[in-house]
Amino acid sequence: MQDGVKNTANNAANSSLNGQLFNRQAFVGLSDKNLGKIAFGRNYNPFFDIVVAYDPVQAAQLFSPLGFSGGYGGGAGVSEDTRVDNSIKYTNKIGDVNFTGLYKLGGQAGNTSAQSGFALGLGYEAGDFGIQGSYQKFTDAVKGGQSSVAGIGTVSATAYNTDGYFLAAKYKLGEATIRGGWERYTLSAASDN
């Protein structure tokens, strides 16, 4: 508290909701029950898709042990990667096996590698058991942060290259379901900053 005014700047979370017209997903695509789905636009990252299905509380931000850790829900430690602009996403399921591929087109004119990335996912679900794995690599991903200097809230942003691996599993035992996950991600210096 400073001069009787509560500093609430630290109550916000790092996210890919940037006040855009379309804050969640916004895409156009095609689907066929045998050929799968392809979507062009702003798509969810495969990491996020897995969290929604495998997190014990379906990625409820306030209470989730996985989804709000800054990693799982945010796509390898950078929540700007949760919803991926300028992306092409393909998903399909053949029998009990599902797979996903996502490619993010570069975000700078004249430099196709700047702000680009990709993600791959593979999973198996049959009966009471499910397992999903995903790998992703993004360049120049923006990670936001907050700090407080002398009671004044500040916001900072840093660009990173990211590499991430994610594995999650669930098993239903009667009325209860056991869920768990493992993630490893690396943040390194941005390529095109």
Side-chain angles (χ1 to χ4, degrees):
M1 227 186 252
Q2 183 179 2
D3 298 329
V5 177
K6 184 176 179 185
N7 179 0
T8 59
N10 292 326
N11 293 339
N14 183 14
S15 124
S16 56
L17 301 176
N18 295 321
Q20 295 165 305
L21 179 60
F22 300 104
N23 276 334
R24 304 290 180 185
Q25 293 189 94
F27 58 83
V28 62
L30 300 169
S31 69
D32 179 87
K33 67 178 184 174
N34 296 318
L35 299 176
K37 301 174 188 176
I38 189 163
F40 303 88
R42 181 173 170 86
N43 293 288
Y44 282 139
N45 182 318
F47 274 40
F48 185 76
D49 291 337
I50 294 170
V51 168
V52 171
Y54 283 73
D55 184 270
V57 291
Q58 289 78 39
Q61 291 187 349
L62 183 59
F63 301 106
S64 172
L66 304 178
F68 200 60
S69 67
Y72 285 107
V78 178
S79 60
E80 288 295 320
D81 292 338
T82 301
R83 296 159 188 90
V84 185
D85 289 326
N86 304 322
S87 64
I88 302 165
K89 183 177 181 182
Y90 174 75
T91 58
N92 200 352
K93 184 171 182 177
I94 300 173
D96 296 331
V97 176
N98 60 72
F99 48 94
T100 301
L102 179 137
Y103 180 74
K104 181 183 188 301
L105 304 168
Q108 290 182 1
N111 187 351
T112 58
S113 67
Q115 300 175 353
S116 65
F118 71 91
L120 302 170
L122 180 65
Y124 173 83
E125 289 188 346
D128 295 333
F129 176 73
I131 187 166
Q132 301 288 326
S134 187
Y135 171 77
Q136 71 177 32
K137 183 174 184 76
F138 287 95
T139 61
D140 312 310
V142 176
K143 179 175 178 61
Q146 297 179 350
S147 62
S148 181
V149 178
I152 300 171
T154 60
V155 176
S156 63
T158 308
Y160 292 99
N161 287 350
T162 65
D163 269 310
Y165 304 88
F166 182 35
L167 182 65
K170 64 182 177 180
Y171 186 74
K172 186 172 182 178
L173 294 165
E175 294 298 315
T177 302
I178 299 170
R179 301 170 191 240
W182 172 84
E183 179 184 34
R184 181 175 193 281
Y185 64 89
T186 304
L187 304 176
S188 58
S191 302
D192 300 294
N193 241 356

